[in-house]
Amino acid sequence: MRRTVVALLFVFACLCAGSTRAEDIRFPKQGSPAFMISLPSGWTGHEDQYNGIQLLPADHRTLVYLSLVRDPQYKDKPLMDLALAIGKPSNISTFPKQEPASISGRNGTAFLGQMKNDKGTLLDVKMVIIPLEPDLWATETLLTSHNLSSAQTDALNEAVRGVTLTGVK
């Protein structure tokens, strides 16, 4: 009897360990392309009035912001122009570093910089822009406060791994 209870507890623990995802979200809810988001446990998603979705852990020390941007004004312009336009409302005037990036195998560019939030806290910014059509881009922006613990960094990485693009031509 005791072996059976121990075996059942072991199976239950294995099942629980594999179920660290709290919620699956499609954003936007309709249409293509879209982000498929598998949120880690303890994270929440909030759509905003700017056609984006914020993914936040309970401690709010990091944020993943996803959006689809359609703007004919930036067709055939450098991605840096679009990155600066997106960053302007947050007082981001420069991205001193760029590096290759991708989402779901779609290549783009990551723009790295810093900004201050409304409380004056300095945050690191990583804005990934993926061209989808001549006037349509997927963006994934990570905002992180300094001195994250390894657990916080791991949770952020898990959230990013849970984001995929679907319905891309």
Side-chain angles (χ1 to χ4, degrees), residues 1 3 15-16 19 45 49 52 71 89 104 120 122 137 147 149 154:
M1 172 80 171
R3 284 186 184 163
L15 289 173
C16 288
S19 61
Q49 69 270 24
D71 193 336
S104 299
L122 189 62
W137 302 268
N147 302 317
S149 70
D154 290 346

Side-chain angles (χ1 to χ4, degrees), residues 27-136:
F27 177 80
K29 289 180 178 41
Q30 298 179 356
S32 288
F35 289 101
M36 299 302 294
I37 305 156
S38 186
L39 282 178
S41 182
W43 283 61
T44 58
H46 304 283
E47 292 184 34
D48 66 16
Q49 69 270 24
Y50 305 108
N51 198 30
I53 186 166
Q54 300 174 20
L55 311 178
L56 293 156
D59 67 6
H60 290 212
R61 296 274 319 272
T62 61
L63 173 132
V64 177
Y65 186 79
L66 304 170
S67 67
L68 295 168
V69 177
R70 184 174 296 277
D71 193 336
Q73 176 180 341
Y74 292 95
K75 181 180 176 181
D76 299 324
K77 291 196 177 175
L79 285 181
M80 177 64 85
D81 291 358
L82 180 62
L84 290 171
I86 292 169
K88 187 175 181 177
S90 300
N91 294 318
I92 300 172
S93 60
T94 183
F95 288 100
K97 185 176 177 187
Q98 298 175 42
E99 61 189 30
S102 67
I103 301 174
S104 299
R106 299 286 300 210
N107 293 327
T109 303
F111 298 87
L112 292 89
Q114 293 185 323
M115 65 170 278
K116 287 188 179 180
N117 67 9
D118 56 352
K119 296 177 184 174
T121 304
L122 189 62
L123 303 173
D124 290 327
V125 177
K126 180 180 180 182
M127 181 186 302
V128 176
I129 301 179
I130 308 295
L132 302 177
E133 295 175 12
D135 65 345
L136 178 66

